[in-house]
Amino acid sequence: MNIEAVIEQRERMNWDKRKARRVQFEHEHRATLLGADGTWWRDCVFVDVSETGARLRISGPTDVLQSRRFFLLLSTTGLAFRRCELVRLNGQEVALRFVTRWTVGGRPALRATFPTPGSD
């Protein structure tokens, strides 16, 4: 095995740390990353996706991803989207985690409890 193949295999192993099963696409599936504050966007293409996150190939500069929080728009109208946070950036490829109301920073979020009427 030559050195290039070893390097490629190690890089692939670094990307494959996700525990959730991934789906890879045979055809290009495009999406858009949108900054949480709405000041920037980047076109992207799915490399693979799982229940908990995705790996994308980004068009354009990736410096805006340093904000670490953004939206992944899955439709052109923006009606289908996921809230995300940056996990890893390698050149034009980005790994992201889907953030839900139950997870923050990849960990379960604390849930606030509110008194219900009549529970005094």
Side-chain angles (χ1 to χ4, degrees):
M1 186 178 280
N2 65 21
I3 190 70
E4 288 86 13
V6 170
I7 291 170
E8 182 179 332
Q9 182 179 11
R10 282 188 181 170
E11 286 178 355
R12 192 176 14 216
M13 286 172 55
N14 285 339
W15 283 102
D16 292 340
K17 289 182 180 179
R18 279 187 280 157
K19 294 176 185 174
R21 200 172 120 221
R22 288 179 296 280
V23 174
Q24 294 181 334
F25 300 101
E26 291 182 15
H27 302 287
E28 247 184 29
H29 288 275
R30 296 187 169 279
T32 302
L33 290 178
L34 175 67
D37 61 359
T39 59
W40 60 266
W41 70 89
R42 294 291 180 272
D43 291 326
C44 57
V45 175
F46 279 96
V47 174
D48 62 44
V49 67
S50 74
E51 189 176 306
T52 59
R55 186 164 46 136
L56 309 168
R57 197 170 40 254
I58 307 295
S59 299
T62 58
D63 60 327
V64 293
L65 296 176
Q66 299 309 314
S67 64
R68 302 193 62 81
R69 290 283 173 108
F70 40 85
F71 293 98
L72 176 62
L73 304 180
L74 302 168
S75 69
T76 55
T77 61
L79 295 176
F81 65 92
R82 295 296 302 261
R83 211 169 73 178
C84 306
E85 65 183 5
L86 180 68
V87 173
R88 186 178 304 115
L89 181 61
N90 184 9
Q92 295 302 113
E93 277 196 3
V94 61
L96 52 86
R97 176 182 303 118
F98 299 136
V99 177
T100 68
R101 67 183 186 156
W102 307 115
T103 62
V104 175
R107 297 182 194 99
L110 297 175
R111 288 192 279 175
T113 56
F114 299 98
T116 56
S119 66
D120 294 333

